[in-house]
Amino acid sequence: MTAIQKLLAAVAAGALVFAITLTKERNAQANYAVVRAQQAAQAKPRDIVRGFRDLAGQQGRPDEAVAEYVAPDVATQLPSGTGRDAVRAWLRQNGDQKVTKEIADKNMIVEFYDDGVNGNISVAYRVEGGKIAEISEFRSKKS
């Protein structure tokens, strides 16, 4: 075998190793996505809402929170509008509010906040299939 043949064989072997490694990495990522989806589907609604709020508010990552926790066809009743874009805008404005009380019943979670200025805010979440399927905000004025 000549030096050029040895070099070509080494390049071919390296390309093969690279292709195998890349395929394994893609398979691992696909499996990881499946596992995360299964975990989300099995999570309690309260944990899903808390994870959503933590990622958006405490960690300051509202876009990631919406991508991970909110259903693509989310129903919303928010001052910022409807859909996922409205949820992102709403989180940027209210994401770091401190929860004063939380009530959970099956797939419904209601959180209560005191904004300290205008009054009380309550937010109702409905969770279906491991994702937040509905978000509604209600405000009451201070007397």
Side-chain angles (χ1 to χ4, degrees):
M1 189 181 264
T2 68
I4 292 178
Q5 289 174 328
K6 288 180 183 178
L7 179 62
L8 290 175
V11 168
L16 180 61
V17 169
F18 177 76
I20 291 170
T21 304
L22 186 60
T23 301
K24 286 182 180 180
E25 179 66 25
R26 286 182 181 155
N27 289 342
Q29 288 176 355
N31 291 338
Y32 180 69
V34 168
V35 168
R36 285 195 48 108
Q38 290 170 344
Q39 289 173 337
Q42 295 171 357
K44 294 180 181 176
R46 177 178 272 177
D47 296 332
I48 290 168
V49 171
R50 285 179 178 170
F52 168 72
R53 192 179 63 242
D54 177 63
L55 187 57
Q58 277 67 39
Q59 296 182 38
R61 297 169 22 203
D63 293 336
E64 292 175 46
V66 170
E68 184 169 341
Y69 290 101
V70 178
D73 59 346
V74 64
T76 58
Q77 293 180 6
L78 300 170
S80 54
T82 60
R84 287 177 120 189
D85 290 336
V87 175
R88 284 184 198 91
W90 175 73
L91 285 172
R92 287 187 185 100
Q93 187 175 26
N94 301 298
D96 60 349
Q97 295 281 351
K98 182 170 170 52
V99 175
T100 57
K101 185 175 183 181
E102 180 184 73
I103 299 172
D105 184 28
K106 297 180 182 163
N107 68 336
M108 296 292 297
I109 311 295
V110 179
E111 295 179 334
F112 299 89
Y113 310 84
D114 181 358
D115 76 357
V117 177
N118 299 318
N120 295 316
I121 303 168
S122 54
V123 180
Y125 300 90
R126 182 175 56 84
V127 177
E128 294 292 334
K131 298 279 187 181
I132 297 172
E134 186 173 354
I135 304 173
S136 300
E137 178 187 273
F138 307 94
R139 292 180 179 259
S140 62
K141 303 281 183 195
K142 280 194 172 184
S143 42

